[in-house]
Amino acid sequence: MMSLNVEKIRAEFPVLHQEVNGKPLVYFDNAATTQKPKSVIDALGNYYKLDNSNIHRGAHTLADRATRYFEDTRTALKAFINAKEDSEIIFTKGTTESINLVASTFGRKFLKQGDEILISTMEHHANIVPWQMLCEESGAVLKVIPIDESGEIIFEEFEKLLSEKTKILAIVHASNALGTINPVKEMIQAAKKQGAKVLLDGAQSTSHLHIDVQELDCDFLCFSAHKLFGPTGLGVLYGKRELLEVMPPYQGGGEMIKEVSFDKTTYNEIPFKFEAGTPNIADVIAFKKAIEFINTLGKDAIKQHEDALLDYAVNALSEIKGFIPVGTARDKVSVVSFNINGMHPFDVGVMLDANGIAVRTGHHCTQPLMQRFGLEGTVRASFSVYNTQTEIDQMVSSVIKIAKIKNK
Amino acid sequence: MNSSIKEIQDEIIDEFSILGDDKESTIFYIMELGGKLPEFPEKDRVEENIIKGCQSKVWLTTKEENDQVHFLADSNTDITKGLISLLIRVLSGRKPKEILDADLYFIDKIGMGNIIGSQRSNGLAAMIKQMKLYALAYQTKQNA
Ligand SMILES: Cc1ncc(COP(=O)(O)O)c(C=O)c1O
């Protein structure tokens, strides 16, 4: 495998080349959102400069071109996750909307009193609240898979919770707060034996891991473009055709209909049935450049680089007196969550920022997970393909200084 | 007679001006100030004393002595503790009217918004509001 030319990659990300508080920016908040390569930024501008038009309707050249580019992204995404066909790719606002779509269409139609929805302790609020809302409405029951001290799912407990009552297993592929990569293949197989449908929250996994929805055999996969070097406010719902077809529409309006009369309206084919209204055309078109960026580097090379950064960071940080790692699963994406003994994560974050280092602090939209560990929050550094060991050195030397305040 | 609210604010502005533009040393200094706050009684660390609107937890209590309002406060984060210690230094031990009339220009002068970010700035505003509300309550009582 070729190792990556990180300097060349960094040159493609304009935002990285700036100072923050008088120090070179070290951007370690990639799990919140990744930065955008120039190709994506240019594609956004070029769309409005050259191609802007509403899609799937006009009979003119611009409309045709915009439609083609829009649908090209769908095709690229199909290949990216190895879906069977383009129409299994639905554009949404993001992971959050994708999960809500499934909960309020599939969920409302097929779940009833006494059915069970299974999630894990490490879910993002986006993969908790929509199911709670569905439970309230349908009388279904939410069950939660426990995790161990290292932040791994306790597989035996998961198996115990599975039964023929389980209708949906909704599980995060890689945890945003801890980095844990869950054994989703095995979990999907076990859930399928009980006849449950499986939704994967791929918000954190799609940027790091090779994803093949057919091999995984998941029913739904949700992810956000902005965590994949793409634009904000755009996401994907992958669903198996046979499920998407029997699910009722999510929203009503233009694009999603076949014919409308005041007596009866018939709905469009998938994926359009789920894409009511004028979509986020510019961002969808630019998203293709982000996928190409990833494909050009290759997921294996990306993962190798990020794993090396993760190892390097964990080793260096672990030497620091007062460093408390949170989440030490064996299999992780490039996320280090930690606390400093005697200090609030917020204070650590502010001090890192004073040194130009951008990390996330707080509960990371995973309050039940924080409660599990008895924590108010953590400091989270998350690495991407454009980060370097030098940047980690910078963070480590700041953390050493900060930790000394309370850990003499 | 103690220094006036204005004098203390000017003192703080001087102290911070020595630190200059270096954000890190400014934050270290604020945290150090927080460490010097008098011990906050454990029994007062209760929900009723929490200031709403702060991202971090801030507890604030008051007592009245010789017609003056005294504040005691604590926080679960050291930076916030430092911020509230500055407010206490300026406002504690004053007559309610002085607190109500106080124009706290030092906050802008030392560039606090830039140091602590917008979320904490809202928290700081909530602390000031709460301190003034207490002062108002004491004033109403004194005038009754
Ligand atoms: C694991 C996980 N799920 C869901 C989400 C929600 O994604 P979005 O806010 O893009 O809808 C996030 C984003 O932070 C996440 O990390």
Side-chain angles (χ1 to χ4, degrees):
Chain A
M1 194 179 346
M2 289 278 292
S3 75
L4 297 172
N5 182 343
V6 178
E7 276 320 304
K8 200 165 146 243
I9 294 170
R10 290 181 70 81
E12 293 180 47
F13 287 82
V15 80
L16 296 176
H17 308 279
Q18 64 177 297
E19 292 203 335
V20 166
N21 295 316
K23 312 275 163 57
L25 167 66
V26 172
Y27 186 78
F28 283 165
D29 197 15
N30 295 288
T33 197
T34 56
Q35 298 302 347
K36 320 303 170 199
K38 210 166 162 302
S39 59
V40 170
I41 301 167
D42 290 347
L44 278 171
N46 284 339
Y47 166 74
Y48 286 117
K49 278 187 225 151
L50 305 172
D51 309 317
N52 178 47
S53 222
N54 211 330
I55 55 168
H56 299 139
R57 343 187 162 183
H60 56 82
T61 304
L62 284 194
D64 190 51
R65 198 152 73 207
T67 303
R68 198 149 25 86
Y69 293 161
F70 184 90
E71 291 302 324
D72 281 350
T73 302
R74 208 189 295 276
T75 308
L77 283 162
K78 178 202 99 167
F80 187 67
I81 60 169
N82 195 29
K84 270 200 193 122
E85 40 177 314
D86 286 11
S87 46
E88 292 178 324
I89 303 291
I90 294 160
F91 290 114
T92 64
K93 280 192 300 188
T95 308
T96 304
E97 191 179 45
S98 299
I99 299 170
N100 275 281
L101 192 161
V102 176
S104 50
T105 61
F106 180 86
R108 274 205 202 139
K109 177 149 179 190
F110 295 108
L111 265 77
K112 50 181 200 312
Q113 184 86 27
D115 286 345
E116 291 178 359
I117 300 166
L118 196 50
I119 63 173
S120 83
T121 308
M122 67 180 94
E123 298 310 316
H124 188 282
H125 296 163
N127 200 28
I128 302 175
V129 185
W131 305 117
Q132 286 176 324
M133 288 159 62
L134 174 61
C135 286
E136 226 161 80
E137 215 174 284
S138 64
V141 182
L142 193 66
K143 298 272 174 173
V144 184
I145 309 164
I147 60 170
D148 65 18
E149 273 305 304
S150 74
E152 289 182 9
I153 280 190
I154 306 172
F155 206 87
E156 305 81 73
E157 297 296 324
F158 159 63
E159 286 178 310
K160 275 191 221 153
L161 284 167
L162 269 180
S163 75
E164 71 280 4
K165 282 196 210 150
T166 314
K167 290 293 166 337
I168 298 175
L169 167 66
I171 179 90
V172 70
H173 193 175
S175 155
N176 63 310
L178 306 175
T180 310
I181 301 173
N182 285 317
V184 290
K185 182 122 201 257
E186 292 74 15
M187 294 181 82
I188 292 167
Q189 278 169 358
K192 293 267 138 141
K193 283 200 190 118
Q194 299 290 347
K197 301 293 180 233
V198 182
L199 175 142
L200 277 191
D201 173 350
Q204 297 295 336
S205 59
T206 31
S207 55
H208 307 286
L209 309 176
H210 184 69
I211 308 247
D212 181 333
V213 289
Q214 294 189 62
E215 192 202 326
L216 285 170
D217 196 27
C218 59
D219 298 287
F220 302 104
L221 170 72
C222 307
F223 57 102
S224 300
H226 71 93
K227 294 183 197 283
L228 274 171
F229 312 104
T232 54
L234 173 66
V236 171
L237 169 65
Y238 155 82
K240 282 186 183 161
R241 168 177 277 279
E242 66 258 34
L243 293 173
L244 295 177
E245 277 186 340
V246 297
M247 281 155 57
Y250 180 46
Q251 292 177 327
E255 292 261 342
M256 56 77 71
I257 51 89
K258 192 183 273 164
E259 267 178 277
V260 177
S261 75
F262 287 120
D263 296 327
K264 181 161 174 56
T265 291
T266 49
Y267 304 128
N268 205 336
E269 304 288 313
I270 66 165
F272 309 111
K273 180 169 89 176
F274 295 104
E275 294 178 352
T278 300
N280 190 348
I281 305 168
D283 289 322
V284 167
I285 290 175
F287 188 22
K288 179 155 178 275
K289 298 293 175 191
I291 302 298
E292 284 167 1
F293 169 78
I294 295 173
N295 289 342
T296 305
L297 299 178
K299 282 253 181 97
D300 290 337
I302 294 175
K303 179 89 174 29
Q304 192 189 37
H305 176 73
E306 292 173 346
D307 284 351
L309 292 176
L310 180 66
D311 275 353
Y312 186 75
V314 169
N315 283 336
L317 289 167
S318 301
E319 299 289 315
I320 300 172
K321 194 168 164 201
F323 172 79
I324 307 165
V326 182
T328 50
R330 286 158 292 182
D331 206 5
K332 279 180 51 159
V333 293
S334 49
V335 167
V336 199
S337 234
F338 64 95
N339 271 305
I340 299 295
N341 177 43
M343 298 192 75
H344 196 279
F346 215 36
D347 288 345
V348 178
V350 171
M351 281 187 282
L352 286 173
D353 178 62
N355 286 290
I357 300 159
V359 294
R360 173 95 183 255
T361 62
H363 55 63
H364 317 295
C365 298
T366 56
Q367 283 181 352
L369 175 65
M370 294 298 126
Q371 285 153 16
R372 157 67 179 81
F373 285 107
L375 297 171
E376 241 180 275
T378 71
V379 181
R380 181 190 70 188
S382 50
F383 312 123
S384 186
V385 67
Y386 39 66
N387 291 127
T388 65
Q389 287 197 355
T390 315
E391 289 181 308
I392 290 174
D393 291 339
Q394 247 166 291
M395 175 178 75
V396 169
S397 67
S398 289
V399 174
I400 290 173
K401 228 174 359 174
I402 296 164
K404 268 206 190 116
I405 302 175
K406 292 288 168 80
N407 298 277
K408 295 259 157 46
Chain B
M1 182 67 203
N2 293 338
S3 317
S4 69
I5 284 183
K6 181 176 178 306
E7 282 162 353
I8 300 224
Q9 292 196 78
D10 292 341
E11 217 175 271
I12 293 174
I13 292 166
D14 276 351
E15 286 167 21
F16 275 78
S17 73
I18 295 166
L19 298 166
D21 280 346
D22 187 52
K23 195 164 165 178
E24 193 180 23
S25 14
T26 309
I27 290 165
F28 274 110
Y29 183 61
I30 293 172
M31 288 176 71
E32 226 175 270
L33 295 176
K36 291 184 190 148
L37 265 182
E39 194 69 30
F40 191 79
E42 198 53 48
K43 68 168 175 45
D44 288 335
R45 233 180 281 252
V46 289
E47 192 65 32
E48 302 96 90
N49 292 330
I50 287 184
I51 300 180
K52 307 268 176 324
C54 293
Q55 273 251 322
S56 34
K57 282 205 181 95
V58 179
W59 296 272
L60 179 71
T61 60
T62 59
K63 63 174 194 272
E64 194 186 10
E65 258 174 30
N66 309 325
D67 290 343
Q68 290 169 337
V69 187
H70 294 266
F71 295 104
L72 266 182
D74 198 5
S75 171
N76 61 341
T77 96
D78 291 314
I79 295 177
T80 309
K81 242 170 118 165
L83 296 177
I84 200 150
S85 84
L86 288 171
L87 292 178
I88 287 181
R89 188 165 146 202
V90 174
L91 296 177
S92 199
R94 313 240 166 231
K95 299 236 157 50
K97 184 166 185 332
E98 287 179 273
I99 297 171
L100 285 168
D101 291 345
D103 164 23
L104 299 173
Y105 55 84
F106 81 99
I107 293 170
D108 275 346
K109 272 274 165 59
I110 63 178
M112 192 57 79
N114 186 30
I115 299 165
I116 60 177
S118 56
Q119 284 180 350
R120 273 218 170 101
S121 295
N122 293 341
L124 192 64
M127 289 180 222
I128 294 168
K129 189 168 150 208
Q130 191 58 44
M131 291 169 109
K132 291 207 173 194
L133 279 174
Y134 274 122
L136 183 64
Y138 284 120
Q139 188 182 48
T140 315
K141 204 174 81 188
Q142 285 172 11
N143 292 343

PDB file of all heavy atoms in Angstrom, chain A residues 169-192:
ATOM      1  N   LEU A 169     -33.123  -3.094  14.999  1.00  0.00           N
ATOM      2  CA  LEU A 169     -31.857  -2.866  15.698  1.00  0.00           C
ATOM      3  C   LEU A 169     -31.263  -1.621  15.047  1.00  0.00           C
ATOM      4  O   LEU A 169     -30.990  -1.609  13.843  1.00  0.00           O
ATOM      5  CB  LEU A 169     -30.915  -4.065  15.524  1.00  0.00           C
ATOM      6  CG  LEU A 169     -29.454  -3.832  15.927  1.00  0.00           C
ATOM      7  CD1 LEU A 169     -29.311  -3.600  17.423  1.00  0.00           C
ATOM      8  CD2 LEU A 169     -28.566  -4.995  15.490  1.00  0.00           C
ATOM      9  N   ALA A 170     -31.098  -0.541  15.850  1.00  0.00           N
ATOM     10  CA  ALA A 170     -30.530   0.702  15.321  1.00  0.00           C
ATOM     11  C   ALA A 170     -29.227   0.940  16.069  1.00  0.00           C
ATOM     12  O   ALA A 170     -29.230   1.191  17.274  1.00  0.00           O
ATOM     13  CB  ALA A 170     -31.497   1.860  15.516  1.00  0.00           C
ATOM     14  N   ILE A 171     -28.131   0.832  15.341  1.00  0.00           N
ATOM     15  CA  ILE A 171     -26.853   0.788  16.039  1.00  0.00           C
ATOM     16  C   ILE A 171     -25.811   1.646  15.335  1.00  0.00           C
ATOM     17  O   ILE A 171     -25.767   1.705  14.109  1.00  0.00           O
ATOM     18  CB  ILE A 171     -26.377  -0.692  16.163  1.00  0.00           C
ATOM     19  CG1 ILE A 171     -25.036  -0.809  16.869  1.00  0.00           C
ATOM     20  CG2 ILE A 171     -26.296  -1.356  14.809  1.00  0.00           C
ATOM     21  CD1 ILE A 171     -25.190  -0.968  18.343  1.00  0.00           C
ATOM     22  N   VAL A 172     -24.998   2.307  16.153  1.00  0.00           N
ATOM     23  CA  VAL A 172     -23.939   3.147  15.587  1.00  0.00           C
ATOM     24  C   VAL A 172     -22.791   2.244  15.137  1.00  0.00           C
ATOM     25  O   VAL A 172     -22.395   1.323  15.847  1.00  0.00           O
ATOM     26  CB  VAL A 172     -23.494   4.211  16.624  1.00  0.00           C
ATOM     27  CG1 VAL A 172     -22.724   3.604  17.792  1.00  0.00           C
ATOM     28  CG2 VAL A 172     -22.682   5.315  15.981  1.00  0.00           C
ATOM     29  N   HIS A 173     -22.299   2.486  13.944  1.00  0.00           N
ATOM     30  CA  HIS A 173     -21.207   1.660  13.416  1.00  0.00           C
ATOM     31  C   HIS A 173     -19.905   2.000  14.131  1.00  0.00           C
ATOM     32  O   HIS A 173     -19.197   1.125  14.616  1.00  0.00           O
ATOM     33  CB  HIS A 173     -21.091   1.889  11.897  1.00  0.00           C
ATOM     34  CG  HIS A 173     -20.223   0.895  11.195  1.00  0.00           C
ATOM     35  ND1 HIS A 173     -20.075   0.869   9.849  1.00  0.00           N
ATOM     36  CD2 HIS A 173     -19.453  -0.107  11.663  1.00  0.00           C
ATOM     37  CE1 HIS A 173     -19.245  -0.121   9.508  1.00  0.00           C
ATOM     38  NE2 HIS A 173     -18.857  -0.725  10.598  1.00  0.00           N
ATOM     39  N   ALA A 174     -19.606   3.302  14.212  1.00  0.00           N
ATOM     40  CA  ALA A 174     -18.441   3.753  14.985  1.00  0.00           C
ATOM     41  C   ALA A 174     -18.905   4.889  15.879  1.00  0.00           C
ATOM     42  O   ALA A 174     -19.575   5.817  15.426  1.00  0.00           O
ATOM     43  CB  ALA A 174     -17.328   4.223  14.067  1.00  0.00           C
ATOM     44  N   SER A 175     -18.542   4.805  17.153  1.00  0.00           N
ATOM     45  CA  SER A 175     -19.023   5.788  18.126  1.00  0.00           C
ATOM     46  C   SER A 175     -18.310   7.125  17.973  1.00  0.00           C
ATOM     47  O   SER A 175     -17.082   7.178  17.934  1.00  0.00           O
ATOM     48  CB  SER A 175     -18.801   5.248  19.538  1.00  0.00           C
ATOM     49  OG  SER A 175     -18.697   6.316  20.464  1.00  0.00           O
ATOM     50  N   ASN A 176     -19.088   8.212  17.924  1.00  0.00           N
ATOM     51  CA  ASN A 176     -18.477   9.531  17.796  1.00  0.00           C
ATOM     52  C   ASN A 176     -17.784   9.958  19.080  1.00  0.00           C
ATOM     53  O   ASN A 176     -16.814  10.699  19.045  1.00  0.00           O
ATOM     54  CB  ASN A 176     -19.531  10.576  17.408  1.00  0.00           C
ATOM     55  CG  ASN A 176     -20.606  10.740  18.459  1.00  0.00           C
ATOM     56  OD1 ASN A 176     -21.187   9.764  18.915  1.00  0.00           O
ATOM     57  ND2 ASN A 176     -20.868  11.958  18.869  1.00  0.00           N
ATOM     58  N   ALA A 177     -18.269   9.465  20.218  1.00  0.00           N
ATOM     59  CA  ALA A 177     -17.710   9.928  21.493  1.00  0.00           C
ATOM     60  C   ALA A 177     -16.499   9.108  21.926  1.00  0.00           C
ATOM     61  O   ALA A 177     -15.601   9.623  22.581  1.00  0.00           O
ATOM     62  CB  ALA A 177     -18.774   9.892  22.576  1.00  0.00           C
ATOM     63  N   LEU A 178     -16.483   7.821  21.578  1.00  0.00           N
ATOM     64  CA  LEU A 178     -15.413   6.943  22.055  1.00  0.00           C
ATOM     65  C   LEU A 178     -14.517   6.433  20.938  1.00  0.00           C
ATOM     66  O   LEU A 178     -13.379   6.032  21.170  1.00  0.00           O
ATOM     67  CB  LEU A 178     -16.014   5.704  22.751  1.00  0.00           C
ATOM     68  CG  LEU A 178     -17.012   5.936  23.882  1.00  0.00           C
ATOM     69  CD1 LEU A 178     -17.587   4.618  24.346  1.00  0.00           C
ATOM     70  CD2 LEU A 178     -16.331   6.670  25.036  1.00  0.00           C
ATOM     71  N   GLY A 179     -15.065   6.376  19.746  1.00  0.00           N
ATOM     72  CA  GLY A 179     -14.312   5.809  18.627  1.00  0.00           C
ATOM     73  C   GLY A 179     -14.556   4.325  18.397  1.00  0.00           C
ATOM     74  O   GLY A 179     -14.184   3.790  17.352  1.00  0.00           O
ATOM     75  N   THR A 180     -15.161   3.665  19.366  1.00  0.00           N
ATOM     76  CA  THR A 180     -15.419   2.218  19.258  1.00  0.00           C
ATOM     77  C   THR A 180     -16.040   1.832  17.916  1.00  0.00           C
ATOM     78  O   THR A 180     -17.039   2.429  17.501  1.00  0.00           O
ATOM     79  CB  THR A 180     -16.428   1.768  20.347  1.00  0.00           C
ATOM     80  OG1 THR A 180     -15.985   2.269  21.592  1.00  0.00           O
ATOM     81  CG2 THR A 180     -16.576   0.250  20.367  1.00  0.00           C
ATOM     82  N   ILE A 181     -15.438   0.848  17.253  1.00  0.00           N
ATOM     83  CA  ILE A 181     -16.071   0.272  16.071  1.00  0.00           C
ATOM     84  C   ILE A 181     -16.841  -0.965  16.534  1.00  0.00           C
ATOM     85  O   ILE A 181     -16.256  -1.882  17.113  1.00  0.00           O
ATOM     86  CB  ILE A 181     -15.032  -0.134  15.009  1.00  0.00           C
ATOM     87  CG1 ILE A 181     -14.200   1.083  14.579  1.00  0.00           C
ATOM     88  CG2 ILE A 181     -15.722  -0.778  13.800  1.00  0.00           C
ATOM     89  CD1 ILE A 181     -13.029   0.746  13.653  1.00  0.00           C
ATOM     90  N   ASN A 182     -18.127  -0.937  16.302  1.00  0.00           N
ATOM     91  CA  ASN A 182     -18.946  -2.060  16.763  1.00  0.00           C
ATOM     92  C   ASN A 182     -18.887  -3.233  15.781  1.00  0.00           C
ATOM     93  O   ASN A 182     -18.723  -3.022  14.582  1.00  0.00           O
ATOM     94  CB  ASN A 182     -20.385  -1.603  16.968  1.00  0.00           C
ATOM     95  CG  ASN A 182     -20.536  -0.781  18.224  1.00  0.00           C
ATOM     96  OD1 ASN A 182     -19.985  -1.133  19.262  1.00  0.00           O
ATOM     97  ND2 ASN A 182     -21.226   0.343  18.127  1.00  0.00           N
ATOM     98  N   PRO A 183     -19.045  -4.459  16.295  1.00  0.00           N
ATOM     99  CA  PRO A 183     -19.003  -5.647  15.429  1.00  0.00           C
ATOM    100  C   PRO A 183     -20.324  -5.779  14.676  1.00  0.00           C
ATOM    101  O   PRO A 183     -21.109  -6.699  14.919  1.00  0.00           O
ATOM    102  CB  PRO A 183     -18.807  -6.801  16.423  1.00  0.00           C
ATOM    103  CG  PRO A 183     -19.419  -6.309  17.690  1.00  0.00           C
ATOM    104  CD  PRO A 183     -19.249  -4.815  17.708  1.00  0.00           C
ATOM    105  N   VAL A 184     -20.560  -4.854  13.767  1.00  0.00           N
ATOM    106  CA  VAL A 184     -21.904  -4.747  13.184  1.00  0.00           C
ATOM    107  C   VAL A 184     -22.253  -5.956  12.319  1.00  0.00           C
ATOM    108  O   VAL A 184     -23.409  -6.355  12.252  1.00  0.00           O
ATOM    109  CB  VAL A 184     -22.101  -3.434  12.396  1.00  0.00           C
ATOM    110  CG1 VAL A 184     -22.136  -2.256  13.346  1.00  0.00           C
ATOM    111  CG2 VAL A 184     -21.045  -3.240  11.343  1.00  0.00           C
ATOM    112  N   LYS A 185     -21.253  -6.542  11.671  1.00  0.00           N
ATOM    113  CA  LYS A 185     -21.558  -7.691  10.811  1.00  0.00           C
ATOM    114  C   LYS A 185     -22.193  -8.808  11.645  1.00  0.00           C
ATOM    115  O   LYS A 185     -23.254  -9.334  11.296  1.00  0.00           O
ATOM    116  CB  LYS A 185     -20.258  -8.172  10.141  1.00  0.00           C
ATOM    117  CG  LYS A 185     -20.453  -9.327   9.201  1.00  0.00           C
ATOM    118  CD  LYS A 185     -19.986  -9.000   7.797  1.00  0.00           C
ATOM    119  CE  LYS A 185     -20.637  -9.916   6.794  1.00  0.00           C
ATOM    120  NZ  LYS A 185     -19.759 -10.992   6.311  1.00  0.00           N
ATOM    121  N   GLU A 186     -21.555  -9.118  12.760  1.00  0.00           N
ATOM    122  CA  GLU A 186     -22.069 -10.181  13.632  1.00  0.00           C
ATOM    123  C   GLU A 186     -23.421  -9.768  14.232  1.00  0.00           C
ATOM    124  O   GLU A 186     -24.315 -10.596  14.401  1.00  0.00           O
ATOM    125  CB  GLU A 186     -21.079 -10.480  14.768  1.00  0.00           C
ATOM    126  CG  GLU A 186     -19.763 -11.112  14.334  1.00  0.00           C
ATOM    127  CD  GLU A 186     -18.810 -10.113  13.651  1.00  0.00           C
ATOM    128  OE1 GLU A 186     -19.021  -8.885  13.756  1.00  0.00           O
ATOM    129  OE2 GLU A 186     -17.856 -10.566  12.984  1.00  0.00           O
ATOM    130  N   MET A 187     -23.533  -8.495  14.560  1.00  0.00           N
ATOM    131  CA  MET A 187     -24.783  -8.028  15.175  1.00  0.00           C
ATOM    132  C   MET A 187     -25.927  -8.115  14.166  1.00  0.00           C
ATOM    133  O   MET A 187     -27.051  -8.494  14.515  1.00  0.00           O
ATOM    134  CB  MET A 187     -24.627  -6.588  15.675  1.00  0.00           C
ATOM    135  CG  MET A 187     -23.618  -6.473  16.815  1.00  0.00           C
ATOM    136  SD  MET A 187     -23.455  -4.790  17.420  1.00  0.00           S
ATOM    137  CE  MET A 187     -24.867  -4.685  18.511  1.00  0.00           C
ATOM    138  N   ILE A 188     -25.642  -7.754  12.924  1.00  0.00           N
ATOM    139  CA  ILE A 188     -26.680  -7.813  11.903  1.00  0.00           C
ATOM    140  C   ILE A 188     -27.130  -9.263  11.696  1.00  0.00           C
ATOM    141  O   ILE A 188     -28.326  -9.558  11.665  1.00  0.00           O
ATOM    142  CB  ILE A 188     -26.177  -7.185  10.575  1.00  0.00           C
ATOM    143  CG1 ILE A 188     -25.974  -5.673  10.749  1.00  0.00           C
ATOM    144  CG2 ILE A 188     -27.148  -7.466   9.430  1.00  0.00           C
ATOM    145  CD1 ILE A 188     -25.207  -4.997   9.626  1.00  0.00           C
ATOM    146  N   GLN A 189     -26.156 -10.156  11.619  1.00  0.00           N
ATOM    147  CA  GLN A 189     -26.499 -11.573  11.440  1.00  0.00           C
ATOM    148  C   GLN A 189     -27.392 -12.075  12.562  1.00  0.00           C
ATOM    149  O   GLN A 189     -28.402 -12.741  12.321  1.00  0.00           O
ATOM    150  CB  GLN A 189     -25.229 -12.428  11.379  1.00  0.00           C
ATOM    151  CG  GLN A 189     -24.596 -12.418   9.990  1.00  0.00           C
ATOM    152  CD  GLN A 189     -23.203 -13.036   9.980  1.00  0.00           C
ATOM    153  OE1 GLN A 189     -22.679 -13.438  11.021  1.00  0.00           O
ATOM    154  NE2 GLN A 189     -22.607 -13.086   8.801  1.00  0.00           N
ATOM    155  N   ALA A 190     -27.019 -11.720  13.791  1.00  0.00           N
ATOM    156  CA  ALA A 190     -27.807 -12.176  14.942  1.00  0.00           C
ATOM    157  C   ALA A 190     -29.213 -11.577  14.903  1.00  0.00           C
ATOM    158  O   ALA A 190     -30.207 -12.270  15.176  1.00  0.00           O
ATOM    159  CB  ALA A 190     -27.097 -11.792  16.241  1.00  0.00           C
ATOM    160  N   ALA A 191     -29.308 -10.293  14.538  1.00  0.00           N
ATOM    161  CA  ALA A 191     -30.616  -9.632  14.501  1.00  0.00           C
ATOM    162  C   ALA A 191     -31.503 -10.236  13.410  1.00  0.00           C
ATOM    163  O   ALA A 191     -32.708 -10.397  13.591  1.00  0.00           O
ATOM    164  CB  ALA A 191     -30.435  -8.129  14.281  1.00  0.00           C
ATOM    165  N   LYS A 192     -30.871 -10.550  12.295  1.00  0.00           N
ATOM    166  CA  LYS A 192     -31.635 -11.108  11.160  1.00  0.00           C
ATOM    167  C   LYS A 192     -32.268 -12.446  11.521  1.00  0.00           C
ATOM    168  O   LYS A 192     -33.357 -12.785  11.060  1.00  0.00           O
ATOM    169  CB  LYS A 192     -30.718 -11.316   9.952  1.00  0.00           C
ATOM    170  CG  LYS A 192     -30.194 -10.031   9.359  1.00  0.00           C
ATOM    171  CD  LYS A 192     -31.088  -9.565   8.248  1.00  0.00           C
ATOM    172  CE  LYS A 192     -31.278  -8.077   8.332  1.00  0.00           C
ATOM    173  NZ  LYS A 192     -31.297  -7.384   7.076  1.00  0.00           N
TER     174      LYS A 192
END
